[in-house]
């Protein structure tokens, strides 16, 4: 066994956190946890994971659910395409693969939303197969351990690091090794202040020996997120609120939310809002601002409260919902912020 792997496995046995997805080797449960953990912190994921597995304990249960039910459970976790892909993957396995979770890397990678990392994680953790799972944590740990100073966003660097990980995977302990490496990155070899004094592989670490822990990994600076500005329209009619899934901005495609209008001069707001929604607004007034930060975009929304003059008709794709029904709908956090501002005017 590679000496680094040996140290890591020993350390993991004594130090691993007690997380709910570590109590199973069901590939479906591992897939759910890994997909939830993409872009989301462990502490946030724990409750969502437990609730999700309680509601959809099997692939078949998830495949039989409606997309709205799945999205509703995902509400607040963000990056909703993950939930849609998870649902599609459950469908695919249930209906195309006879309900048997695939155990070959090429087949797992064909599932919607599953890339190299997630496939490697599922196969190593659930089936103990010698597959590398290289995420941001692993890129950082391996760059430091081996003193790799090329940009980790480059595919060649990622390939190089993947090969290093593959060389270290111990036979029969692939799952624990994968989790140990991730765990080291999560709790010891952290981005800003690695706890080298507590690191089980300190003696092998080139970054530590050469005092490069603050320099490695090398990573190209992220582009600044683009700021998009809208009016968020809170149309009210007989205690109901106007919602839609139609939107030019594709980021939260198919999720329920209030209509978003491109900014314009105040005198044109009513006319443009009518053109967009088919609803005429009266006494339109600004009641607050909401901001939501996504990975590559920032939405800045000026919230407009509009009493609707209508007999209930709306343009295609726009619907009235009683305020109490909002809990049952998949409404992402960006829109929940707007609705919170409007709440005191609506009920
Ligand atoms: Fe990371 Fe420090 Fe351990 Fe090196 S010694 S792997 S930099 S925590």
């Amino acid at each position: 066994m590679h000496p680094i792997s040996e140290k890591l496995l020993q350390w993991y046995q004594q130090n691993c956190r007690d997380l709910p997805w570590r109590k199973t080797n069901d590939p479906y449960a591992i897939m759910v946890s890994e997909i939830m953990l993409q872009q989301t912190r462990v502490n946030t994921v724990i409750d969502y994971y437990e609730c999700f597995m309680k509601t959809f304990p099997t692939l078949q249960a998830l495949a039989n659910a409606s997309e709205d039910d799945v999205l509703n459970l995902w509400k607040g976790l963000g990056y909703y395409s993950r939930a849609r892909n998870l649902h599609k993957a459950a469908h695919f396995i249930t209906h195309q693969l006879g309900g048997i979770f695939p155990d070959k890397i090429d087949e797992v990678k064909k599932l919607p939303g599953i890339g190299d990392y997630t496939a490697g994680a599922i196969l190593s953790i659930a089936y103990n197969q010698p597959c590398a799972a290289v995420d941001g944590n692993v890129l950082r740990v391996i760059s430091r351990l081996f003193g790799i100073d090329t940009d980790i966003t480059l595919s060649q660097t990622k390939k190089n690091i993947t090969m290093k990980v593959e060389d270290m995977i111990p036979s029969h302990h692939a799952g624990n090794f994968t989790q140990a490496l991730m765990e080291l990155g999560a709790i010891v070899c952290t981005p800003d202040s690695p706890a080298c004094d507590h690191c089980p592989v300190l003696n092998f670490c080139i970054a530590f020996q050469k005092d490069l822990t603050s320099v490695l990994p090398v990573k190209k600076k992220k582009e600044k997120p683009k700021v998009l500005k809208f009016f968020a329209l809170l149309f009210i009619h007989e205690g109901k609120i106007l919602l839609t899934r139609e939107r030019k901005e594709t980021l939260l495609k198919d999720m329920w939310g209030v209509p978003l209008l491109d900014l314009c001069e105040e005198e044109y707001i009513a006319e443009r809002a009518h053109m967009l929604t088919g609803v005429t607004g009266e006494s339109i007034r600004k009641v607050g601002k909401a901001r939501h930060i996504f990975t590559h975009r920032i939405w800045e929304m000026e919230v407009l409260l509009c009493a609707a003059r209508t007999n209930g008709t709306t343009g295609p794709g726009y619907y009235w919902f009683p305020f109490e029904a909002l809990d049952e709908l998949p409404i992402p956090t960006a829109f929940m912020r707007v609705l919170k501002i409007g709440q005191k005017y609506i009920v």
Side-chain angles (χ1 to χ4, degrees):
M1 192 186 295
H2 195 291
I4 293 181
S5 314
E6 199 174 340
K7 288 277 177 206
L8 265 178
L9 287 176
Q10 280 167 6
W11 170 83
Y12 182 67
Q13 259 183 358
Q14 289 156 12
N15 295 281
C16 69
R17 288 169 293 175
D18 181 23
L19 300 171
W21 47 89
R22 290 195 174 146
K23 297 182 173 73
T24 176
N25 55 4
D26 171 5
Y28 163 64
I30 305 296
M31 174 171 75
V32 171
S33 68
E34 286 299 334
I35 287 181
M36 284 187 169
L37 287 163
Q38 292 166 7
Q39 327 264 9
T40 310
R41 287 168 188 279
V42 166
N43 285 347
T44 310
V45 167
I46 292 173
D47 287 349
Y48 278 94
Y49 171 83
E50 288 184 326
C51 178
F52 198 93
M53 293 307 292
K54 208 167 158 194
T55 313
F56 308 122
T58 60
L59 267 173
Q60 287 69 22
L62 179 58
N64 291 337
S66 72
E67 187 177 275
D68 273 0
D69 285 344
V70 178
L71 290 173
N72 206 20
L73 220 58
W74 206 270
K75 202 153 70 177
L77 202 54
Y79 304 98
Y80 293 87
S81 57
R82 295 183 297 174
R84 285 197 198 90
N85 282 333
L86 196 52
H87 189 217
K88 281 186 202 151
H91 243 267
F92 183 78
I93 298 170
T94 304
H95 299 294
Q96 307 291 325
L97 305 180
I100 313 284
F101 204 101
D103 62 358
K104 309 254 177 327
I105 191 97
D106 291 341
E107 289 171 14
V108 176
K109 280 204 281 192
K110 279 187 196 145
L111 299 174
I114 306 285
D116 292 345
Y117 163 75
T118 312
I122 295 170
L123 287 174
S124 61
I125 298 170
Y127 297 115
N128 229 351
Q129 288 187 21
C131 299
V134 178
D135 67 350
N137 278 338
V138 174
L139 287 171
R140 182 173 62 255
V141 172
I142 300 295
S143 292
R144 286 175 173 166
L145 259 176
F146 291 91
I148 295 169
D149 60 2
T150 49
D151 183 349
I152 56 166
T153 63
L154 298 176
S155 59
Q156 189 51 48
T157 308
K158 206 166 166 190
K159 249 189 215 163
N160 181 17
I161 289 178
T162 303
M163 273 158 44
K164 293 237 181 287
V165 173
E166 283 168 351
D167 283 348
M168 290 195 292
I169 298 174
S171 43
H172 310 302
H173 300 288
N176 278 351
F177 172 77
T178 293
Q179 297 187 85
L181 208 47
M182 291 177 191
E183 192 77 341
L184 188 78
I187 64 178
V188 178
C189 193
T190 52
D192 295 328
S193 44
C196 300
D197 292 346
H198 300 283
C199 180
V201 290
L202 171 85
N203 291 339
F204 302 90
C205 182
I206 292 179
F208 179 77
Q209 286 157 19
K210 296 190 173 173
D211 198 16
L212 293 173
T213 55
S214 59
V215 179
L216 298 178
V218 174
K219 193 174 177 185
K220 190 176 76 188
K221 277 229 160 61
K222 267 194 202 159
E223 279 177 30
K224 268 196 173 170
K226 193 171 161 193
V227 179
L228 300 175
K229 298 186 180 196
F230 305 103
F231 288 129
L233 303 173
L234 280 172
F235 267 115
I236 312 293
H237 176 59
E238 296 177 348
K240 293 182 180 163
I241 181 150
L242 189 72
L243 296 182
T244 184
R245 288 172 143 165
E246 306 282 323
R247 142 169 0 102
K248 207 168 69 183
E249 166 59 40
T250 53
L251 201 60
L252 295 175
K253 198 170 153 273
D254 295 337
M255 303 296 289
W256 287 103
V258 299
L260 293 179
L261 184 69
D262 288 336
L263 294 193
C264 62
E265 307 271 335
E266 283 198 19
E267 58 192 287
Y268 299 121
I269 293 175
E271 184 191 333
R272 300 263 165 93
H274 175 78
M275 280 164 62
L276 181 74
T277 63
V279 178
T280 305
E282 281 181 335
S283 64
I284 298 178
R285 64 191 165 110
K286 295 178 180 172
V287 289
K289 290 185 177 180
R291 192 167 196 266
H292 191 77
I293 301 175
F294 300 94
T295 314
H296 303 294
R297 296 196 203 158
I298 297 174
W299 281 8
E300 287 182 353
M301 297 170 281
E302 180 126 39
V303 183
L304 302 180
L305 187 71
C306 329
R309 180 154 42 89
T310 176
N311 55 5
T313 54
T314 63
Y318 291 82
Y319 303 92
W320 297 106
F321 286 93
F323 209 77
E324 316 80 71
L326 302 188
D327 277 350
E328 306 300 319
L329 293 174
I331 300 177
T333 310
F335 289 117
M336 289 311 290
R337 294 190 203 285
V338 174
L339 291 166
K340 210 167 167 198
I341 292 174
Q343 192 169 15
K344 60 176 179 248
Y345 303 98
I346 297 164
V347 287

